[in-house]
Amino acid sequence: MNKCLFFIVLITCSYAFCQNKNIYFGVKQNFAELLIHKNEVSHLANYRIKGISAILETHTNGEKAWHPYYNYPNYGLILNYQDMGSPALGEVYSLSGFYKFFFLKRRVYLTTGLGLGFTNKRFDANKNPKNIAYGSSILANILFELNYRLTPDFNKRLHFDFGLFFQHFSNAKIKSPNSGTNHYGLQFGVSYNLNNSFVKNNRLDQKPNITVKPDVNRPFQFHFIVASGLNDLEILNTKPYPFFTLTALTEKKLSFVSSVQLGSDLFLS
């Protein structure tokens, strides 16, 4: 029941935003294995990992200068359910924002995603001592995908996708233990354009024409950044402590997408 509600939310939202845009809804199934990046997580790797994702996405349309420069990437949300196989790791639910960057006439794409996850089996010294990967219920989620997209001639609104993926879960060292997990594997899925009128973006089939030129002759720019966060001491049953960083840097623009920076950081904890 929970898994059904998990995907109904995304389907309902997709229709609300399906006006005057190509909105795609997709589903992917994946099968993976745990990557043993530390010896202490080897006892968690003797299980098969599987999951399913619901994807809601749309495309950029050239309104901004960087859209054609990066070949009109897609962007959206991925709602993911992952059965980590091991009884100690349990299940992880995650929500990520993502961008898709296309190559080879939009047949191949690279997905980069970042978001948050929730595990139902975090570490507990008494009830779940084997889970040294997740010290907290809330996790950070990092996702990479490399897929091939097949569009059949009989229905241009339909897409079939298959490829490779890599996913990372951890709590960013907010609470120990935090070995985290990395898993990789194969995935396949299908997506469909929900807009009945099928808003065609002719620019996607054209060679990008970059008309905006960077102002590389402008003087050096100076930036000051103040940031803060929480950090764990890697000792069980201890609270996280705040830290602060102060960054000062200078920047010189080289091109539309690149620049050179030089600066220093002050770290206080």
Side-chain angles (χ1 to χ4, degrees), residues 54-73:
I55 304 101
L56 178 66
E57 66 180 282
T58 187
H59 57 70
T60 53
N61 54 16
E63 292 179 350
K64 297 185 181 296
W66 61 269
H67 292 175
Y69 200 97
Y70 291 104
N71 196 23
Y72 303 98

mmCIF file of all heavy atoms in Angstrom, residues 54-73:
data_model
loop_
_atom_site.group_PDB
_atom_site.id
_atom_site.type_symbol
_atom_site.label_atom_id
_atom_site.label_comp_id
_atom_site.label_asym_id
_atom_site.label_seq_id
_atom_site.Cartn_x
_atom_site.Cartn_y
_atom_site.Cartn_z
ATOM 1 N N ALA A 54 9.971 6.374 -10.065
ATOM 2 C CA ALA A 54 9.007 7.130 -10.860
ATOM 3 C C ALA A 54 9.644 8.464 -11.199
ATOM 4 O O ALA A 54 10.198 9.136 -10.325
ATOM 5 C CB ALA A 54 7.706 7.331 -10.089
ATOM 6 N N ILE A 55 9.579 8.842 -12.473
ATOM 7 C CA ILE A 55 10.275 10.034 -12.954
ATOM 8 C C ILE A 55 9.282 11.003 -13.575
ATOM 9 O O ILE A 55 8.429 10.602 -14.378
ATOM 10 C CB ILE A 55 11.356 9.673 -13.992
ATOM 11 C CG1 ILE A 55 12.350 8.666 -13.410
ATOM 12 C CG2 ILE A 55 12.085 10.918 -14.465
ATOM 13 C CD1 ILE A 55 12.119 7.250 -13.837
ATOM 14 N N LEU A 56 9.392 12.255 -13.205
ATOM 15 C CA LEU A 56 8.606 13.336 -13.799
ATOM 16 C C LEU A 56 9.585 14.368 -14.332
ATOM 17 O O LEU A 56 10.426 14.867 -13.582
ATOM 18 C CB LEU A 56 7.689 13.968 -12.753
ATOM 19 C CG LEU A 56 6.833 15.146 -13.218
ATOM 20 C CD1 LEU A 56 5.817 14.694 -14.252
ATOM 21 C CD2 LEU A 56 6.125 15.790 -12.029
ATOM 22 N N GLU A 57 9.510 14.676 -15.637
ATOM 23 C CA GLU A 57 10.504 15.576 -16.217
ATOM 24 C C GLU A 57 9.921 16.408 -17.349
ATOM 25 O O GLU A 57 8.876 16.079 -17.926
ATOM 26 C CB GLU A 57 11.701 14.782 -16.735
ATOM 27 C CG GLU A 57 11.387 13.867 -17.905
ATOM 28 C CD GLU A 57 12.602 13.104 -18.382
ATOM 29 O OE1 GLU A 57 13.439 13.712 -19.092
ATOM 30 O OE2 GLU A 57 12.712 11.907 -18.047
ATOM 31 N N THR A 58 10.614 17.487 -17.670
ATOM 32 C CA THR A 58 10.314 18.319 -18.821
ATOM 33 C C THR A 58 11.630 18.770 -19.428
ATOM 34 O O THR A 58 12.704 18.456 -18.908
ATOM 35 C CB THR A 58 9.435 19.522 -18.430
ATOM 36 O OG1 THR A 58 9.037 20.221 -19.615
ATOM 37 C CG2 THR A 58 10.198 20.483 -17.526
ATOM 38 N N HIS A 59 11.566 19.504 -20.547
ATOM 39 C CA HIS A 59 12.793 19.908 -21.228
ATOM 40 C C HIS A 59 12.983 21.416 -21.161
ATOM 41 O O HIS A 59 12.032 22.181 -20.987
ATOM 42 C CB HIS A 59 12.778 19.461 -22.695
ATOM 43 C CG HIS A 59 11.606 19.984 -23.474
ATOM 44 N ND1 HIS A 59 11.467 21.306 -23.822
ATOM 45 C CD2 HIS A 59 10.513 19.356 -23.964
ATOM 46 C CE1 HIS A 59 10.350 21.475 -24.499
ATOM 47 N NE2 HIS A 59 9.734 20.311 -24.586
ATOM 48 N N THR A 60 14.218 21.842 -21.275
ATOM 49 C CA THR A 60 14.503 23.265 -21.435
ATOM 50 C C THR A 60 14.147 23.665 -22.862
ATOM 51 O O THR A 60 14.139 22.832 -23.776
ATOM 52 C CB THR A 60 15.982 23.556 -21.158
ATOM 53 O OG1 THR A 60 16.790 22.690 -21.975
ATOM 54 C CG2 THR A 60 16.330 23.307 -19.702
ATOM 55 N N ASN A 61 13.853 24.948 -23.072
ATOM 56 C CA ASN A 61 13.320 25.374 -24.369
ATOM 57 C C ASN A 61 14.118 26.476 -25.044
ATOM 58 O O ASN A 61 13.658 27.067 -26.022
ATOM 59 C CB ASN A 61 11.873 25.844 -24.194
ATOM 60 C CG ASN A 61 11.748 26.916 -23.120
ATOM 61 O OD1 ASN A 61 12.742 27.523 -22.708
ATOM 62 N ND2 ASN A 61 10.532 27.138 -22.650
ATOM 63 N N GLY A 62 15.301 26.781 -24.541
ATOM 64 C CA GLY A 62 16.121 27.789 -25.185
ATOM 65 C C GLY A 62 15.900 29.203 -24.700
ATOM 66 O O GLY A 62 16.475 30.145 -25.255
ATOM 67 N N GLU A 63 15.077 29.376 -23.667
ATOM 68 C CA GLU A 63 14.826 30.718 -23.155
ATOM 69 C C GLU A 63 16.050 31.316 -22.477
ATOM 70 O O GLU A 63 16.187 32.532 -22.397
ATOM 71 C CB GLU A 63 13.655 30.689 -22.174
ATOM 72 C CG GLU A 63 12.312 30.380 -22.825
ATOM 73 C CD GLU A 63 11.190 30.344 -21.815
ATOM 74 O OE1 GLU A 63 11.499 30.371 -20.599
ATOM 75 O OE2 GLU A 63 10.017 30.295 -22.225
ATOM 76 N N LYS A 64 16.941 30.465 -21.982
ATOM 77 C CA LYS A 64 18.160 30.935 -21.330
ATOM 78 C C LYS A 64 19.364 30.567 -22.192
ATOM 79 O O LYS A 64 19.349 29.570 -22.919
ATOM 80 C CB LYS A 64 18.291 30.335 -19.931
ATOM 81 C CG LYS A 64 17.158 30.753 -18.991
ATOM 82 C CD LYS A 64 17.387 30.228 -17.597
ATOM 83 C CE LYS A 64 16.239 30.625 -16.671
ATOM 84 N NZ LYS A 64 16.161 32.094 -16.502
ATOM 85 N N ALA A 65 20.422 31.361 -22.063
ATOM 86 C CA ALA A 65 21.582 31.195 -22.940
ATOM 87 C C ALA A 65 22.260 29.842 -22.770
ATOM 88 O O ALA A 65 22.827 29.301 -23.727
ATOM 89 C CB ALA A 65 22.581 32.321 -22.679
ATOM 90 N N TRP A 66 22.204 29.264 -21.567
ATOM 91 C CA TRP A 66 22.910 28.004 -21.345
ATOM 92 C C TRP A 66 22.145 26.796 -21.881
ATOM 93 O O TRP A 66 22.714 25.712 -22.003
ATOM 94 C CB TRP A 66 23.216 27.816 -19.863
ATOM 95 C CG TRP A 66 22.016 27.747 -18.966
ATOM 96 C CD1 TRP A 66 21.406 28.782 -18.339
ATOM 97 C CD2 TRP A 66 21.293 26.564 -18.592
ATOM 98 N NE1 TRP A 66 20.334 28.330 -17.597
ATOM 99 C CE2 TRP A 66 20.247 26.977 -17.730
ATOM 100 C CE3 TRP A 66 21.424 25.210 -18.887
ATOM 101 C CZ2 TRP A 66 19.343 26.080 -17.171
ATOM 102 C CZ3 TRP A 66 20.530 24.313 -18.332
ATOM 103 C CH2 TRP A 66 19.505 24.751 -17.486
ATOM 104 N N HIS A 67 20.873 26.934 -22.218
ATOM 105 C CA HIS A 67 20.089 25.800 -22.722
ATOM 106 C C HIS A 67 20.693 25.206 -23.992
ATOM 107 O O HIS A 67 20.973 23.998 -24.040
ATOM 108 C CB HIS A 67 18.641 26.223 -22.971
ATOM 109 C CG HIS A 67 17.882 26.532 -21.722
ATOM 110 N ND1 HIS A 67 16.592 27.030 -21.730
ATOM 111 C CD2 HIS A 67 18.222 26.416 -20.415
ATOM 112 C CE1 HIS A 67 16.179 27.212 -20.491
ATOM 113 N NE2 HIS A 67 17.146 26.855 -19.677
ATOM 114 N N PRO A 68 20.891 25.987 -25.066
ATOM 115 C CA PRO A 68 21.489 25.388 -26.267
ATOM 116 C C PRO A 68 22.949 25.001 -26.075
ATOM 117 O O PRO A 68 23.431 24.081 -26.732
ATOM 118 C CB PRO A 68 21.331 26.489 -27.323
ATOM 119 C CG PRO A 68 21.248 27.758 -26.549
ATOM 120 C CD PRO A 68 20.528 27.404 -25.283
ATOM 121 N N TYR A 69 23.644 25.702 -25.183
ATOM 122 C CA TYR A 69 25.060 25.393 -24.960
ATOM 123 C C TYR A 69 25.221 23.961 -24.465
ATOM 124 O O TYR A 69 26.180 23.274 -24.813
ATOM 125 C CB TYR A 69 25.649 26.378 -23.954
ATOM 126 C CG TYR A 69 27.152 26.475 -24.014
ATOM 127 C CD1 TYR A 69 27.773 27.492 -24.734
ATOM 128 C CD2 TYR A 69 27.953 25.548 -23.359
ATOM 129 C CE1 TYR A 69 29.152 27.584 -24.798
ATOM 130 C CE2 TYR A 69 29.335 25.632 -23.420
ATOM 131 C CZ TYR A 69 29.926 26.652 -24.144
ATOM 132 O OH TYR A 69 31.296 26.726 -24.214
ATOM 133 N N TYR A 70 24.272 23.491 -23.645
ATOM 134 C CA TYR A 70 24.317 22.126 -23.115
ATOM 135 C C TYR A 70 23.315 21.210 -23.814
ATOM 136 O O TYR A 70 22.887 20.209 -23.250
ATOM 137 C CB TYR A 70 24.062 22.145 -21.611
ATOM 138 C CG TYR A 70 25.186 22.779 -20.824
ATOM 139 C CD1 TYR A 70 25.065 24.067 -20.314
ATOM 140 C CD2 TYR A 70 26.377 22.094 -20.615
ATOM 141 C CE1 TYR A 70 26.100 24.659 -19.597
ATOM 142 C CE2 TYR A 70 27.415 22.671 -19.906
ATOM 143 C CZ TYR A 70 27.272 23.952 -19.406
ATOM 144 O OH TYR A 70 28.308 24.533 -18.707
ATOM 145 N N ASN A 71 22.928 21.565 -25.041
ATOM 146 C CA ASN A 71 22.080 20.720 -25.882
ATOM 147 C C ASN A 71 20.699 20.487 -25.266
ATOM 148 O O ASN A 71 20.170 19.384 -25.294
ATOM 149 C CB ASN A 71 22.770 19.378 -26.165
ATOM 150 C CG ASN A 71 22.134 18.642 -27.322
ATOM 151 O OD1 ASN A 71 21.492 19.242 -28.179
ATOM 152 N ND2 ASN A 71 22.290 17.325 -27.340
ATOM 153 N N TYR A 72 20.114 21.525 -24.707
ATOM 154 C CA TYR A 72 18.750 21.502 -24.183
ATOM 155 C C TYR A 72 18.511 20.327 -23.218
ATOM 156 O O TYR A 72 17.787 19.380 -23.532
ATOM 157 C CB TYR A 72 17.740 21.435 -25.329
ATOM 158 C CG TYR A 72 17.877 22.561 -26.315
ATOM 159 C CD1 TYR A 72 18.574 22.383 -27.513
ATOM 160 C CD2 TYR A 72 17.336 23.808 -26.048
ATOM 161 C CE1 TYR A 72 18.714 23.421 -28.417
ATOM 162 C CE2 TYR A 72 17.466 24.855 -26.952
ATOM 163 C CZ TYR A 72 18.157 24.660 -28.128
ATOM 164 O OH TYR A 72 18.295 25.691 -29.019
ATOM 165 N N PRO A 73 19.115 20.365 -22.044
ATOM 166 C CA PRO A 73 18.917 19.257 -21.093
ATOM 167 C C PRO A 73 17.492 19.214 -20.552
ATOM 168 O O PRO A 73 16.780 20.218 -20.539
ATOM 169 C CB PRO A 73 19.916 19.582 -19.977
ATOM 170 C CG PRO A 73 20.113 21.058 -20.059
ATOM 171 C CD PRO A 73 20.001 21.409 -21.515
#
